[in-house]
Amino acid sequence: METLVNEKQITTAKKTMSGAEAVICSLLAEGVETIFGYPGGAIMPIYDALYDYMDQVNHILVRHEQGAMHAAQGFARVRKEVGVVFATSGPGATNLITGIADAHTDSTPIVCITGQVPSSLLGTDAFQETDVIGISMPVTKWNHQITDAREIPEIIAKAFYIAKSGRPGPVVIDITKDAQFASMEFEYQKCSKIRTYHPVPKIKEEQLQQAASLINKSERPFLLVGQGILISEAQDILRSFIEKANIPAAWTILGLSALENSHPLNVGMLGMHGNYAPNLLTNECDVLIAVGMRFDDRVTGDLTKYARQAKVIHIDIDPSEIDKNVKADVPLIGDAKQVLEALLPLVSKKRHGPWLKRFKDLHKIEVEKVITPALYPQTPGILMGEVIRHISEATKGEAIIVTDVGQHQMVTSRYYNFKHPHSNVTSGGLGTMGFALPAAMGAKVGMPERPVVAIIGDGGFQMTLQELGTIFQYEIPVKIVILNNGFLGMVRQWQQMFFERRYSFTEMKNPDFIAIAGGFSIQGQKVSDRKHLVAAVKEMLGHPAAYLLEVVVEKEENVFPMIPSGAAVDDIRME
């Protein structure tokens, strides 16, 4: 059996085995060590085969298939590997869809293997039959249904190659039950090329020269950092690039941690709840360089008023993103690292003193009006920003921070002092509430040597709190912080600002979160008084096992700055 998991021998060794065992051996050949999943009837043969490989594969039994997807996302994002998920047919497969869509939007490489009813029953509305291929097609990079066991090694090899190459994304492989039972001659060869698929476009020299010319002539250049920097591991070349040309750089929420917060050219976060200076000055720069980002509407606001004065250089590996939202004067299609490496020797050293001072002056205004009151509040109740400040200081910026979706997500992005790349795990494009708890679980499994802190709102926590059972069973020492304001906070803020305080179904009557955690043998405490906060954070971080800290924060605290929906980026409000 050893030869079947040895990468050098596995390409030539042949052995008769079931399709189910071929799935496991194919995953081992790809170096898979961890699987997140939930068994059921249609995938039972694969789980039976897995029983003989439990010493080689760490399978995490989640409490819901959506939790498996988010856990695999957290794992993939911090490990920079392909996450793997198992689920059965019907509701098992459909429960994956939210997570698959999330991974697709946020370019996370996941291979999902779902069981399916026997091929003779396809199309008959058999028990737990669902067209998972049709359902998942819009939110996958590729999907395929296997009805012949002999296809299994080749399709799995293709799945891993497609998921992780170019712009990463999720892949679904649906395997009928009869294909899992059938015998086949197993032989595995990793995939390194597909004839019709070209994941890394060739960079055009002419466009490099055009981009360099614009940058060298620019007096007010501005660079936008997207997740493409992290995916291509371009952090170092990005730093060299902006330092040589002295270009201020701001980041999207998924580009966060690509450039350390303390870097003097890091001017903050873009978008609806981003920093004042980068949003305002987007409409004053003369050259806008976007790297590995897609000009999401939360970044651009009103497109008719977005950076109309600027020449736009758009660097992205996905050609479909070019000119989709913002017209590029110079499109540079290619891997972010490769493009910046080619561009670096072409750009000139610059100073841009007055332009950089403009950012600093505007930042001082934000510090006075927003940041200082948020981090060092004079309010009777605890504010979200001060909680994040204490966690940041206590962890020295070294933790992996996993956030759910809402006000706490924006506050954490703004105020946690990230020091290392791949340290920010969040749901960006889809904005999936319930993401953080299972994603933090997966991140901790992926990087057990680093502290992992999940920061969650009281609403999002209740969407996937069943994964406390997984944390309990596998003794995963994640730290969980619930910022409890008794509201669906982000929606409530919009209702306050734009719907005359008509709080329609956003106030929540919450359960005893500490008691719930206790039911899973997870220790915790609830803090509602500022004087206990520092000690509580210290106790949480020092606890050797999982720990839940509930912090009661001001019920009607708002997150500022804010760009109202549909407004221009320079319509940013400080209050």
Side-chain angles (χ1 to χ4, degrees):
M1 190 64 67
E2 286 75 19
T3 59
L4 293 174
V5 298
N6 184 297
E7 185 179 328
K8 292 182 179 178
Q9 294 173 309
I10 204 164
T11 57
T12 56
K14 288 187 178 182
K15 180 182 177 181
T16 301
M17 61 176 63
S18 69
E21 187 176 4
V23 170
I24 307 303
C25 289
S26 297
L27 295 177
L28 290 172
E30 289 291 342
V32 173
E33 298 175 353
T34 301
I35 299 167
F36 301 91
Y38 203 98
I43 200 170
M44 204 175 295
I46 291 175
Y47 270 91
D48 184 66
L50 181 61
Y51 189 85
D52 294 325
Y53 292 87
M54 289 193 296
D55 60 335
Q56 298 174 63
V57 180
N58 178 30
H59 180 279
I60 304 293
L61 173 64
V62 296
R63 297 304 185 262
H64 190 283
E65 292 87 355
Q66 182 179 342
M69 274 301 306
H70 295 327
Q73 287 175 272
F75 180 91
R77 294 265 283 275
V78 301
R79 278 282 286 264
K80 303 176 285 294
E81 295 178 6
V82 178
V84 178
V85 170
F86 283 176
T88 194
S89 63
T94 58
N95 281 345
L96 298 177
I97 295 299
T98 295
I100 293 171
D102 194 288
H104 186 257
T105 306
D106 287 353
S107 304
T108 306
I110 308 289
V111 169
C112 306
I113 295 176
T114 56
Q116 185 55 274
V117 300
S119 55
S120 61
L121 296 179
L122 289 173
T124 69
D125 292 331
F127 176 68
Q128 291 193 334
E129 180 195 2
T130 303
D131 180 10
V132 67
I133 296 298
I135 291 171
S136 67
M137 189 174 293
V139 290
T140 49
K141 193 175 178 185
W142 183 61
N143 62 16
H144 185 87
Q145 186 175 76
I146 295 176
T147 58
D148 185 336
R150 293 171 295 181
E151 281 193 296
I152 287 171
E154 178 187 1
I155 295 303
I156 289 179
K158 281 185 178 180
F160 273 81
Y161 176 63
I162 291 170
K164 66 187 176 183
S165 60
R167 180 179 180 174
V171 171
V172 167
I173 304 172
D174 193 45
I175 309 177
T176 59
K177 198 169 185 179
D178 53 316
Q180 297 173 47
F181 276 124
S183 294
M184 47 89 73
E185 288 291 311
F186 180 78
E187 183 179 18
Y188 197 83
Q189 179 67 55
K190 282 191 175 185
C191 179
S192 60
K193 185 178 181 180
I194 298 174
R195 185 169 58 87
T196 57
Y197 172 56
H198 307 287
V200 183
K202 187 177 180 180
I203 305 165
K204 294 182 178 179
E205 179 66 29
E206 179 185 356
Q207 292 171 341
L208 283 171
Q209 295 292 338
Q210 291 173 351
S213 177
L214 283 178
I215 294 167
N216 291 337
K217 293 175 182 177
S218 171
E219 295 181 358
R220 299 182 307 280
F222 188 23
L223 189 143
L224 313 183
V225 178
Q227 189 186 202
I229 292 289
L230 292 163
I231 292 171
S232 67
E233 295 290 347
Q235 304 90 253
D236 292 341
I237 190 66
L238 168 71
R239 193 180 301 107
S240 298
F241 183 82
I242 63 173
E243 287 174 354
K244 181 179 181 181
N246 229 14
I247 301 174
W251 33 268
T252 68
I253 193 169
L254 290 178
L256 175 56
S257 83
L259 185 66
E260 61 271 26
N261 286 39
S262 59
H263 195 286
L265 291 171
N266 186 337
V267 295
M269 184 167 74
L270 298 161
M272 180 170 284
H273 290 286
N275 292 103
Y276 186 54
N279 277 307
L280 197 67
L281 297 184
T282 295
N283 282 0
E284 293 186 21
C285 67
D286 57 9
V287 172
L288 189 66
I289 310 157
V291 188
M293 55 88 72
R294 57 192 179 85
F295 288 112
D296 178 79
D297 63 291
R298 285 296 175 98
V299 167
T300 65
D302 184 351
L303 282 168
T304 66
K305 299 176 182 177
Y306 182 79
R308 307 298 292 179
Q309 79 295 335
K311 296 291 186 181
V312 176
I313 300 168
H314 192 177
I315 301 169
D316 204 285
I317 200 168
D318 185 352
S320 70
E321 294 296 347
I322 304 297
D323 295 337
K324 184 174 78 175
N325 295 321
V326 174
K327 175 71 175 175
D329 295 279
V330 181
L332 272 169
I333 303 172
D335 175 81
K337 184 177 182 180
Q338 294 176 10
V339 172
L340 290 177
E341 285 175 340
L343 202 53
L344 180 61
L346 303 179
V347 298
S348 304
K349 291 184 178 181
K350 291 289 189 75
R351 297 183 65 86
H352 300 304
W355 176 233
L356 292 171
K357 185 176 183 300
R358 185 97 169 90
F359 281 90
K360 292 177 182 177
D361 290 344
L362 290 172
H363 182 64
K364 289 177 183 177
I365 296 172
E366 184 179 352
V367 167
E368 180 183 348
K369 290 190 174 183
V370 175
I371 295 175
T372 298
L375 299 183
Y376 303 93
Q378 303 300 312
T379 57
I382 300 170
L383 296 188
M384 292 179 284
E386 66 179 309
V387 180
I388 303 307
R389 174 175 66 86
H390 287 306
I391 294 171
S392 183
E393 290 173 353
T395 59
K396 298 179 171 60
E398 300 284 344
I400 292 171
I401 301 296
V402 186
T403 51
D404 214 81
V405 173
Q407 288 180 313
H408 68 278
Q409 178 190 34
M410 297 295 105
V411 170
T412 304
S413 300
R414 287 174 55 83
Y415 298 130
Y416 189 86
N417 183 27
F418 290 92
K419 290 186 178 179
H420 304 292
H422 305 289
S423 295
N424 169 55
V425 180
T426 195
S427 172
L430 196 65
T432 305
M433 289 179 66
F435 173 87
L437 186 63
M441 183 174 74
K444 187 62 179 178
V445 170
M447 296 290 282
E449 70 277 10
R450 290 190 63 188
V452 175
V453 181
I455 299 173
I456 315 176
D458 47 312
F461 180 74
Q462 292 179 77
M463 287 195 167
T464 52
L465 64 77
Q466 71 275 357
E467 297 308 330
L468 291 174
T470 311
I471 292 168
F472 166 55
Q473 179 170 344
Y474 295 95
E475 299 180 350
I476 304 170
V478 294
K479 312 306 178 188
I480 306 157
V481 179
I482 300 175
L483 300 184
N484 183 358
N485 58 13
F487 272 106
L488 299 176
M490 186 64 81
V491 183
R492 185 214 55 77
Q493 178 170 339
W494 282 47
Q495 289 174 334
Q496 177 184 333
M497 296 178 67
F498 309 117
F499 293 89
E500 300 177 340
R501 291 182 180 266
R502 291 160 59 88
Y503 294 160
S504 180
F505 300 101
T506 47
E507 188 166 9
M508 305 190 77
K509 184 176 181 180
N510 289 318
D512 185 337
F513 293 123
I514 306 304
I516 290 172
F520 294 96
S521 297
I522 295 172
Q523 290 191 28
Q525 67 173 302
K526 180 176 182 177
V527 172
S528 56
D529 192 317
R530 179 174 286 120
K531 66 184 179 183
H532 302 305
L533 182 58
V534 173
V537 169
K538 182 178 180 181
E539 181 175 343
M540 173 187 72
L541 295 172
H543 190 69
Y547 193 97
L548 189 147
L549 173 62
E550 177 187 355
V551 183
V552 179
V553 295
E554 287 277 8
K555 289 181 69 69
E556 295 189 63
E557 178 188 356
N558 291 331
V559 183
F560 288 105
M562 180 179 183
I563 302 169
S565 180
V569 288
D570 54 6
D571 289 330
I572 187 167
R573 293 171 54 172
M574 301 285 270
E575 57 185 15

